């Protein structure tokens, strides 16, 4: 199974690189069913869509829900290059995603273990399994490169 996690994360990283190329924060997501079949892939699109909810995770869940014709994404795994934010973790819990696999932690917005840990909050009615650190170095490097480029452009 860990090899599958890395394989899926590589696909999510490809989406993140596409977001980078579009001038978006480079985060990508892949949602698969219980057999490992990809239901959806997405990249961040908040800037280009002028939509604060157009995070890769949300877009992947929306597409998959339409594809299976059910807002409940039971027995699915969401792969995302960076720890889902608090908004995305709330949506993950509402959608009943079974497992979240992510790369780098997000200490400023993370809802999957760094800032908050919604998956462990017993007051909530669903608790997805969280696996972190898959391809984390590549995820961190992509983010650092993106923000370094943004800072350098501001200096010009």
């Amino acid at each position: 199974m860990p090899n599958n996690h890395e394989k899926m994360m590589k696909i999510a990283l490809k989406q993140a690189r596409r977001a980078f190329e579009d001038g978006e924060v480079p985060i990508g997501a892949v949602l698969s069913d219980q057999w490992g079949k990809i239901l959806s892939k997405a990249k961040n699109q908040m800037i280009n869509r002028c939509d604060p909810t157009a995070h890769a995770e949300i877009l992947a869940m929306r597409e998959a829900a339409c594809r299976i014709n059910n807002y409940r994404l039971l027995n699915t795994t969401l792969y995302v290059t960076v720890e889902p934010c608090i908004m995305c973790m709330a949506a993950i819990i509402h959608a009943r995603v079974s497992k979240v696999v992510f790369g780098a932690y997000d200490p400023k917005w993370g809802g999957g273990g760094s800032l908050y840990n919604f998956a462990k909050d017993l007051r909530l009615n669903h608790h997805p399994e969280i696996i972190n650190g898959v391809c984390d170095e590549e995820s961190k490097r992509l983010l650092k490169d993106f923000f370094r480029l943004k800072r350098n452009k501001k200096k010009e």
Side-chain angles (χ1 to χ4, degrees):
M1 192 62 130
N3 288 340
N4 194 45
H5 291 335
E6 192 170 318
K7 175 185 163 198
M8 291 296 207
M9 190 62 76
K10 295 287 185 189
I11 297 168
L13 281 161
K14 186 180 279 189
Q15 291 294 311
R17 285 189 288 279
R18 289 181 58 215
F20 187 118
E21 293 166 4
D22 291 344
E24 299 276 356
V25 175
I27 298 174
V30 174
L31 190 73
S32 70
D33 67 14
Q34 63 196 16
W35 299 284
K37 179 183 172 194
I38 294 174
L39 298 173
S40 61
K41 299 180 278 191
K43 61 183 178 171
N44 269 3
Q45 296 186 53
M46 290 98 51
I47 296 166
N48 291 318
R49 288 189 179 196
C50 297
D51 179 355
T53 69
H55 291 202
E57 302 95 309
I58 298 291
L59 297 174
M61 288 187 290
R62 283 179 184 161
E63 182 182 328
C66 286
R67 187 172 194 180
I68 66 170
N69 199 31
N70 191 340
Y71 73 98
R72 294 243 168 112
L73 300 169
L74 304 172
N75 303 311
T76 59
T77 300
L78 180 65
Y79 296 88
V80 61
T81 57
V82 177
E83 176 185 7
C85 72
I86 54 180
M87 173 186 70
C88 291
M89 276 305 296
I92 287 163
I93 290 167
H94 280 288
R96 309 298 196 279
V97 171
S98 299
K99 189 181 299 182
V100 177
V101 179
F102 69 85
Y105 275 109
D106 182 353
K108 292 184 179 181
W109 285 99
S114 61
L115 185 61
Y116 294 99
N117 195 342
F118 287 176
K120 298 268 190 212
D121 190 331
L122 298 178
R123 298 169 295 178
L124 300 174
N125 66 346
H126 179 69
H127 308 99
E129 178 185 352
I130 305 289
I131 298 171
N132 60 59
V134 178
C135 299
D136 63 331
E137 289 303 318
E138 193 170 348
S139 298
K140 287 180 207 174
R141 187 173 44 255
L142 196 54
L143 284 169
K144 286 178 183 177
D145 290 349
F146 176 80
F147 287 111
R148 185 179 306 114
L149 182 66
K150 287 287 187 195
R151 281 191 303 274
N152 289 339
K153 280 187 179 179
K154 284 183 180 180
K155 290 178 184 177
E156 292 175 0

